[in-house]
Coordinates of all heavy atoms in Angstrom, one line a residue:
L11 N 77.2 -56.8 -42.5 CA 76.6 -57.4 -41.3 C 77.6 -57.3 -40.1 O 77.3 -56.9 -39.0 CB 76.1 -58.8 -41.5 CG 75.4 -59.5 -40.4 CD1 74.1 -58.8 -39.9 CD2 75.1 -61.0 -40.7
A14 N 78.0 -53.7 -38.9 CA 76.9 -53.1 -38.2 C 76.7 -53.8 -36.8 O 76.5 -53.0 -35.9 CB 75.6 -53.4 -39.1
V15 N 76.9 -55.1 -36.7 CA 76.8 -55.8 -35.4 C 77.9 -55.3 -34.5 O 77.7 -55.1 -33.3 CB 76.8 -57.2 -35.5 CG1 76.9 -58.0 -34.2 CG2 75.5 -57.7 -36.3
G16 N 79.0 -55.0 -35.0 CA 80.1 -54.4 -34.2 C 79.9 -53.1 -33.7 O 80.6 -52.7 -32.7
F18 N 77.0 -52.1 -32.3 CA 75.8 -52.1 -31.3 C 76.3 -51.5 -30.0 O 75.5 -51.0 -29.2 CB 75.4 -53.5 -31.1 CG 74.6 -54.1 -32.2 CD1 74.2 -55.5 -32.1 CD2 74.0 -53.4 -33.2 CE1 73.4 -56.1 -33.1 CE2 73.3 -54.0 -34.2 CZ 73.0 -55.3 -34.2
A29 N 73.2 -48.7 -37.2 CA 73.7 -50.2 -37.2 C 72.5 -51.1 -37.1 O 72.4 -52.1 -37.8 CB 74.6 -50.4 -36.1
A30 N 71.6 -50.8 -36.2 CA 70.3 -51.6 -36.0 C 69.5 -51.6 -37.3 O 69.0 -52.7 -37.7 CB 69.5 -51.1 -34.8
V33 N 71.2 -53.8 -40.0 CA 71.0 -55.2 -39.7 C 69.6 -55.7 -40.1 O 69.4 -56.7 -40.7 CB 71.3 -55.6 -38.3 CG1 70.9 -57.1 -37.9 CG2 72.8 -55.4 -38.0
Q34 N 68.7 -54.9 -39.7 CA 67.3 -55.2 -40.1 C 67.0 -55.3 -41.7 O 66.2 -56.1 -42.1 CB 66.3 -54.3 -39.5 CG 66.2 -54.4 -38.0 CD 65.5 -53.5 -37.3 OE1 65.5 -52.2 -37.6 NE2 64.6 -53.8 -36.3
V49 N 77.7 -65.8 -40.0 CA 76.4 -65.2 -40.3 C 75.4 -65.6 -39.2 O 74.8 -64.7 -38.6 CB 75.9 -65.5 -41.7 CG1 74.5 -64.9 -41.8 CG2 76.8 -64.9 -42.8
G50 N 75.3 -66.8 -38.9 CA 74.4 -67.3 -37.8 C 74.8 -66.7 -36.5 O 73.8 -66.2 -35.7
E51 N 76.0 -66.5 -36.2 CA 76.4 -65.9 -34.9 C 76.1 -64.5 -34.9 O 75.6 -64.0 -33.9 CB 77.9 -66.1 -34.7 CG 78.3 -67.6 -34.5 CD 79.8 -67.7 -34.5 OE1 80.6 -66.8 -34.5 OE2 80.2 -68.9 -34.6
L52 N 76.3 -63.8 -35.9 CA 76.0 -62.3 -36.0 C 74.5 -62.1 -35.9 O 74.1 -61.2 -35.2 CB 76.6 -61.8 -37.3 CG 78.1 -61.7 -37.4 CD1 78.5 -61.3 -38.7 CD2 78.7 -60.7 -36.3
L53 N 73.7 -63.0 -36.6 CA 72.3 -62.8 -36.5 C 71.7 -63.1 -35.1 O 70.8 -62.4 -34.6 CB 71.6 -63.7 -37.6 CG 71.7 -63.3 -39.0 CD1 71.2 -64.2 -40.0 CD2 71.0 -61.9 -39.2
D54 N 72.4 -64.1 -34.5 CA 72.0 -64.4 -33.1 C 72.3 -63.2 -32.2 O 71.5 -62.9 -31.3 CB 72.7 -65.7 -32.6 CG 72.1 -66.9 -33.2 OD1 71.0 -66.9 -33.6 OD2 72.8 -68.0 -33.1
R55 N 73.4 -62.5 -32.4 CA 73.7 -61.3 -31.6 C 72.7 -60.2 -31.8 O 72.6 -59.3 -31.1 CB 75.1 -60.8 -31.9 CG 76.2 -61.8 -31.3 CD 77.6 -61.4 -31.6 NE 77.9 -60.0 -31.3 CZ 79.0 -59.3 -31.8 NH1 79.8 -59.9 -32.5 NH2 79.2 -58.1 -31.4
S56 N 72.0 -60.3 -33.0 CA 71.0 -59.3 -33.3 C 69.6 -59.7 -33.1 O 68.7 -59.0 -33.6 CB 71.2 -59.0 -34.9 OG 72.5 -58.7 -35.2
R57 N 69.4 -60.9 -32.4 CA 68.0 -61.3 -32.3 C 67.1 -60.3 -31.7 O 65.9 -60.4 -31.9 CB 68.0 -62.7 -31.6 CG 68.2 -62.6 -30.1 CD 68.1 -64.0 -29.5 NE 68.7 -65.1 -30.2 CZ 68.1 -66.1 -30.9 NH1 66.7 -66.0 -30.9 NH2 68.6 -67.0 -31.5
H58 N 67.6 -59.4 -30.9 CA 66.7 -58.4 -30.2 C 66.0 -57.4 -31.3 O 65.0 -56.7 -30.9 CB 67.5 -57.6 -29.2 CG 68.5 -56.7 -29.8 ND1 69.8 -57.3 -30.2 CD2 68.6 -55.4 -30.1 CE1 70.5 -56.3 -30.6 NE2 69.8 -55.1 -30.6
L59 N 66.5 -57.5 -32.5 CA 65.9 -56.6 -33.6 C 64.9 -57.2 -34.5 O 64.3 -56.7 -35.2 CB 67.1 -56.1 -34.5 CG 68.3 -55.4 -33.9 CD1 69.4 -55.2 -34.8 CD2 67.7 -54.1 -33.3
F60 N 64.7 -58.6 -34.2 CA 63.8 -59.4 -35.1 C 62.8 -60.2 -34.3 O 63.1 -60.6 -33.2 CB 64.6 -60.4 -35.8 CG 65.7 -59.9 -36.8 CD1 67.0 -59.8 -36.5 CD2 65.2 -59.4 -38.1 CE1 67.9 -59.4 -37.4 CE2 66.2 -58.9 -39.0 CZ 67.5 -58.9 -38.6
S61 N 61.6 -60.3 -34.8 CA 60.7 -61.3 -34.4 C 61.3 -62.7 -34.6 O 62.3 -62.9 -35.4 CB 59.3 -61.2 -35.1 OG 59.5 -61.7 -36.4
L65 N 63.9 -63.7 -37.8 CA 65.2 -64.2 -37.5 C 65.4 -65.6 -38.2 O 66.5 -65.8 -38.9 CB 65.5 -64.4 -36.0 CG 66.9 -64.9 -35.6 CD1 67.9 -63.9 -36.1 CD2 67.0 -65.1 -34.1

Side-chain angles (χ1 to χ4, degrees):
L11 182 62
V15 171
F18 284 170
V33 170
Q34 289 172 319
V49 170
E51 292 168 13
L52 292 168
L53 289 172
D54 284 340
R55 288 177 54 193
S56 307
R57 76 173 43 254
H58 64 284
L59 301 173
F60 297 102
S61 68
L65 181 61

